[in-house]
Amino acid sequence: MSACGYGSDKDDKKTSPAANAGAPAPGGAKTGTSASSIRLGFFANVTHATPLVGLGEGFFAKELGSTEIKPQVFNAGPAAIEALKGGSIDATYIGPNPSISGFTSTNGELLRIVAGATSGGAALVVKPSINTPADLKGKKIASPQLGGTQDVALRAYLAANGFPVDTSGKGDVSVVPTDNAQTLAAFQKGDLDGAWLPEPWATRLVAEAGAKVLVDERTLWPQGKFVTTNLIVGNKFLKDHPDTVEALIKGQVAANEWAAANPDKAKTTVNAKITEYAGKPLAQNVLDAAWPNIEITNDPLASSLQKLSDDGVAVGVTKKLDIHGIYDLTILNKVLAAAGKPAVNDGGLGPKK
């Protein structure tokens, strides 16, 4: 991805509404926002159902009007953070731990979390012979990328069970950061003993490679709720183009409401976009099994973020710095209020007073 500046003012370049990803919904906006474009990152995963529905059903395009939306696909969060730092994206759907790392590594200057997207949808899947945490000793376990949300979850789980692993992946259990598609192939060949993965990859290892679930991450959290995916925006873009961010969030709220009301259609749309961006659709049995493992939500579940931050520090992949100010839910709560929906809270981690 080539580095370039933040979305420019509309007078700087002309755009065509046809360039928007996803056809504008009926009655869509005729004009754009103050930014001529917004470059939006996300993953081709079930846990990123919100952006996939928003793009596939035209909810983003409707609200953004002639502001061009430019999608960029990533495998894991740390790469998306580097793209945000390099100025090649303006916003991205991403897991909490890379969000924290991006915030703390720039002393709070890089980004703000402006909305939630998904809870749940992550699991440790292993060979059938592994039945307890003790059985993991001497095994090789994959995660999507060092410092990513599932990587931190895996390392924290291993440490809690007596198997601390350093950032090089060495310990009584070996942690091997691996691209999700390569993880599936490596597990099938017997080169890996397990992996902590987001959906649909956890379910794919079960359905296609004979793995079993050792830990559904929901079982480790109160009420089974924890943030898996949220929406972050570059702080400069947020300050320069709050109306563009508001349009994006309006599209998200509409997309999530539609997905909740139309789960079968939403699954079809998500699979179509996964096919477009990953080159291959999910098998229907995989999609059907993975879908109930996620909860689509606008709530960023801020109460879970501090523990995720503490876990990242404890396993050595995140700096121990104050994360107060990481949230700015002002626009989200404005949009929710206009839609007659309850406000969400920032857990005391919102703008510093």
Side-chain angles (χ1 to χ4, degrees):
M1 291 175 288
S2 60
C4 52
Y6 285 91
S8 58
D9 290 340
K10 289 186 65 59
D11 290 341
D12 292 340
K13 78 174 187 180
K14 296 180 180 179
T15 61
S16 167
N20 287 356
K30 299 301 182 184
T31 59
T33 67
S34 63
S36 63
S37 67
I38 179 167
R39 296 159 301 166
L40 181 68
F42 56 91
F43 310 164
N45 281 351
V46 172
T47 54
H48 285 233
T50 293
L52 297 178
V53 169
L55 290 164
E57 293 296 325
F59 290 106
F60 292 153
K62 173 185 176 182
E63 299 297 339
L64 287 163
S66 61
T67 294
E68 183 181 6
I69 185 165
K70 298 180 177 180
Q72 298 207 37
V73 184
F74 296 90
N75 174 67
I81 289 296
E82 289 308 308
L84 189 61
K85 286 181 177 179
S88 58
I89 59 173
D90 305 307
T92 187
Y93 287 87
I94 193 173
N97 287 98
S99 304
I100 293 166
S101 179
F103 182 83
T104 58
S105 66
T106 60
N107 296 315
E109 293 298 318
L110 180 66
L111 62 88
R112 296 293 182 267
I113 299 173
V114 297
T118 309
S119 172
L124 172 59
V125 294
V126 296
K127 289 181 175 178
S129 58
I130 298 174
N131 297 303
T132 69
D135 294 338
L136 295 170
K137 186 173 182 178
K139 300 299 190 292
K140 185 182 294 186
I141 310 296
S143 71
Q145 188 173 3
L146 175 65
T149 299
Q150 285 78 48
D151 181 73
V152 171
L154 170 59
R155 291 168 187 273
Y157 177 80
L158 292 174
N161 284 280
F163 301 124
V165 179
D166 65 24
T167 54
S168 72
K170 295 179 180 178
D172 287 336
V173 178
S174 298
V175 173
V176 187
T178 309
D179 177 273
N180 293 326
Q182 293 175 355
T183 292
L184 175 60
F187 189 90
Q188 288 171 324
K189 290 191 294 185
D191 295 338
L192 290 170
D193 300 293
W196 199 297
L197 296 169
E199 293 292 8
W201 293 101
T203 294
R204 285 194 67 181
L205 260 69
V206 171
E208 300 174 28
K212 71 177 184 182
V213 176
L214 183 65
V215 181
D216 181 332
E217 191 172 348
R218 292 176 295 183
T219 64
L220 305 180
W221 291 92
Q223 291 81 52
K225 295 181 181 292
F226 65 100
V227 58
T228 301
T229 309
N230 52 40
L231 173 61
I232 64 172
V233 178
N235 199 27
K236 183 180 186 301
F237 190 89
L238 179 60
K239 290 178 179 178
D240 290 349
H241 304 292
D243 62 321
T244 307
V245 176
E246 182 172 344
L248 183 68
I249 291 175
K250 283 181 178 178
Q252 165 173 317
V253 170
N256 285 351
E257 184 173 18
W258 180 86
N262 302 278
D264 289 338
K265 291 181 180 179
K267 285 192 291 185
T268 298
T269 298
V270 166
N271 211 11
K273 299 308 284 185
I274 287 174
T275 303
E276 178 182 343
Y277 294 119
K280 183 179 179 181
L282 295 176
Q284 193 62 45
N285 66 315
V286 170
L287 184 58
D288 289 342
W291 194 262
N293 296 333
I294 70 166
E295 178 185 354
I296 297 172
T297 177
N298 297 304
D299 190 340
L301 301 169
S303 61
S304 65
L305 194 75
Q306 187 65 60
K307 183 178 187 308
L308 290 164
S309 177
D310 294 342
D311 286 348
V313 172
V315 301
V317 302
T318 306
K319 293 181 179 180
K320 184 173 178 57
L321 291 173
D322 185 7
I323 62 171
H324 286 84
I326 194 170
Y327 287 108
D328 188 343
L329 305 179
T330 307
I331 294 174
L332 173 61
N333 281 325
K334 175 185 175 183
V335 171
L336 291 174
K341 299 178 183 297
V344 298
N345 71 73
D346 59 22
L349 298 175
K352 297 179 180 180
K353 305 297 183 182

